[in-house]
Amino acid sequence: MTPFVRLFAGTGNLEFLSPGILLAVAVTCLAVSLYLLLPKSGRDGKASRRIGWLLGLITLGLFIATGQRLGNLGEETVFLTVSLVAVISAAATITCRSPVYAAIWFALCLAGVSGVLLVLGAQFLGVATIVVYAGAILVMFLF
């Protein structure tokens, strides 16, 4: 049980906040956030994108609240930093209008995923992600 759930479990008011329910709410908020972040025209597009970014940040907080702890504070800080970079840049990749900017965001997303793999101890997969995707597919897309 995460500290967030333990905090509210003792009050009796919010006992329904189990990690499974928090995860389901987070996935639903993520879907709505990505829908709001998709490119739209006009004035409504700017307002929906702002709401989408706000809902996306709330979603990231929910995902962090449902997560398991890695051990020491240093590993957890590095893991959360690179995973937040990967998630935010992935959202920017699919919501960007320009293909060139989408490719740049995708490269940053690959760097974040590679960082997550390196933190988790999968060095070969982390390096292979950079070499294969960023080195081959992304360069081919940009040309």
Side-chain angles (χ1 to χ4, degrees), residues 64 97 105 124 136 140:
I64 290 171
R97 287 182 185 262
W105 281 114
F124 176 76
M140 184 180 70

Side-chain angles (χ1 to χ4, degrees), residues 106-107 110 127-141 143:
F106 183 60
L110 289 175
V127 172
T129 300
I130 293 296
V131 170
V132 172
Y133 287 108
I137 296 172
L138 192 62
V139 171
M140 184 180 70
F141 177 76
F143 282 122

Side-chain angles (χ1 to χ4, degrees), residues 33-106:
S33 170
L34 288 177
Y35 175 74
L36 291 173
L37 285 172
L38 289 175
K40 296 175 186 68
S41 62
R43 192 164 198 201
D44 293 335
K46 288 184 180 182
S48 69
R49 287 179 69 88
R50 287 184 184 147
I51 295 170
W53 280 113
L54 180 65
L55 191 58
L57 291 174
I58 292 170
T59 302
L60 287 176
L62 287 173
F63 276 126
I64 290 171
T66 60
Q68 299 294 322
R69 301 297 175 223
L70 294 176
N72 63 14
L73 184 62
E75 286 180 8
E76 191 170 333
T77 304
V78 171
F79 179 79
L80 285 176
T81 303
V82 294
S83 63
L84 286 175
V85 166
V87 169
I88 290 171
S89 60
T93 299
I94 63 173
T95 60
C96 190
R97 287 182 185 262
S98 171
V100 175
Y101 287 134
I104 293 170
W105 281 114
F106 183 60

Side-chain angles (χ1 to χ4, degrees), residues 79 114-126:
F79 179 79
S114 178
V116 167
L117 291 170
L118 290 174
V119 168
L120 293 177
Q123 288 83 11
F124 176 76
L125 290 175

Side-chain angles (χ1 to χ4, degrees), residues 1-9 14-31 55-69:
M1 195 179 268
T2 63
F4 181 73
V5 175
R6 276 189 231 134
L7 177 69
F8 291 112
L14 300 172
E15 290 180 2
F16 60 90
L17 285 178
S18 68
I21 291 175
L22 278 176
L23 189 62
V25 169
V27 168
T28 305
C29 287
L30 177 66
L55 191 58
L57 291 174
I58 292 170
T59 302
L60 287 176
L62 287 173
F63 276 126
I64 290 171
T66 60
Q68 299 294 322
R69 301 297 175 223

